[in-house]
Amino acid sequence: LGITTPLDPVPSIGLGTSDVKLIDMLAAYGVWANEGVYTEPITITRIEDRYNNPIWTAAPNQHEVLSPETAFLMTDMLEGVVHAGGTGAGIYSGKYGGFNREAAGKTGTTQEHADAWFMGYTPQLVGGVWVGFNDRHVHFKSMALGQGARAALPIWALTFAEIYKDPKLSDALPPATFPMPAGIVRVRICPTSNKLATEACPEPYTEVMRRADAPRTACDVHTGFDPSFEEGNPGDGTRPPTSNDGGQVGF
């Protein structure tokens, strides 16, 4: 994902125990928002002469590092972080400017409450906030003050709320959703059988997955409705697949 910061080769690396520069984190999170395409960060986009004529324009270095399907699965998980019950749900609380666009993100907090993070993105923009100090002896007194959701998230939410409220940017930043690749489907799963849920399944849940990985058979524990033979309502995960109907299918 383009991280250039040296990473310590330790078992806990997956927990984020190596420091990473904020600019590297932004570029990495941009991959999820950009459907698997990495864009190398640049500072200067163009240079103009005194008559506002461009004399040099940057050519972004971009290349695909993940499949669109993998990027969307990650985005779907990170959307869960900012929705009800997630640690990042505060961006929609109304306390920080009234941000109301579709978004995904992740909070972060280090030991001793020394670092607070929030990385978040919309379909158009990526933003990151780090609150901390180079000397780890300087830190917040408690988790209540120093966690990412308290120290970093409000800065992100306030900033993004102002960006999307700016009338000068409305044409460039219209309401948008994260595009679902054709290879991704949403299916209703029975938690008992791990197969396609039927009307008889008591507590089904919706899962996002690759079409090739989705179950093909209906639950055989709870007998009843078979999604293979009867159409359901759009959005309930029971329709037979059609030619790219937006990814909502039942097999």
Side-chain angles (χ1 to χ4, degrees):
L1 301 182
I3 291 176
T4 61
T5 312
L7 302 176
D8 296 326
V10 294
S12 61
I13 187 173
L15 300 176
T17 51
S18 287
D19 290 335
V20 177
K21 292 182 293 186
L22 181 56
I23 190 69
D24 277 359
M25 294 293 286
L26 285 166
Y29 271 72
V31 173
W32 315 130
N34 208 27
E35 301 179 68
V37 176
Y38 170 80
T39 302
E40 184 178 359
I42 57 175
T43 303
I44 300 172
T45 57
R46 67 177 181 174
I47 300 174
E48 300 174 347
D49 64 19
R50 60 178 176 169
Y51 302 108
N52 298 324
N53 298 313
I55 58 178
W56 177 85
T57 301
N61 176 17
Q62 295 181 306
H63 53 278
E64 185 176 293
V65 295
L66 295 174
S67 70
E69 290 79 14
T70 297
F72 183 84
L73 290 175
M74 191 67 180
T75 289
D76 182 75
M77 287 189 285
L78 293 177
E79 280 187 284
V81 175
V82 300
H83 290 154
T87 59
I91 67 170
Y92 294 121
S93 67
K95 296 187 296 183
Y96 310 122
F99 175 77
N100 61 0
R101 295 299 187 95
E102 182 164 342
K106 185 70 184 74
T107 58
T109 312
T110 63
Q111 285 93 335
E112 302 292 331
H113 330 300
D115 301 279
W117 286 83
F118 185 77
M119 304 296 302
Y121 58 95
T122 67
Q124 299 126 334
L125 298 172
V126 181
V129 178
W130 167 69
V131 178
F133 196 70
N134 289 338
D135 186 344
R136 290 280 171 77
H137 289 91
V138 179
H139 56 79
F140 290 96
K141 292 182 179 180
S142 68
M143 177 68 80
L145 296 173
Q147 62 178 294
R150 290 293 183 89
L153 180 149
I155 299 172
W156 187 98
L158 285 165
T159 301
F160 270 62
E162 290 301 310
I163 290 172
Y164 279 102
K165 286 179 182 177
D166 191 335
K168 294 180 294 184
L169 300 175
S170 59
D171 290 340
L173 300 172
T177 60
F178 295 109
M180 179 184 289
I184 294 293
V185 294
R186 295 185 189 275
V187 291
R188 296 283 284 170
I189 302 294
C190 172
T192 303
S193 66
N194 292 321
K195 297 180 180 180
L196 291 173
T198 72
E199 284 186 338
C201 296
E203 296 180 343
Y205 65 95
T206 300
E207 185 64 90
V208 176
M209 60 183 66
R210 297 175 189 271
R211 184 181 295 272
D213 297 332
R216 294 299 201 270
T217 56
C219 174
D220 51 7
V221 176
H222 309 100
T223 59
F225 177 77
D226 185 343
S228 299
F229 299 105
E230 189 173 337
E231 287 203 9
N233 295 320
D236 67 0
T238 64
R239 290 182 296 159
T242 62
S243 57
N244 192 17
D245 66 354
Q248 194 87 358
V249 309
F251 293 92

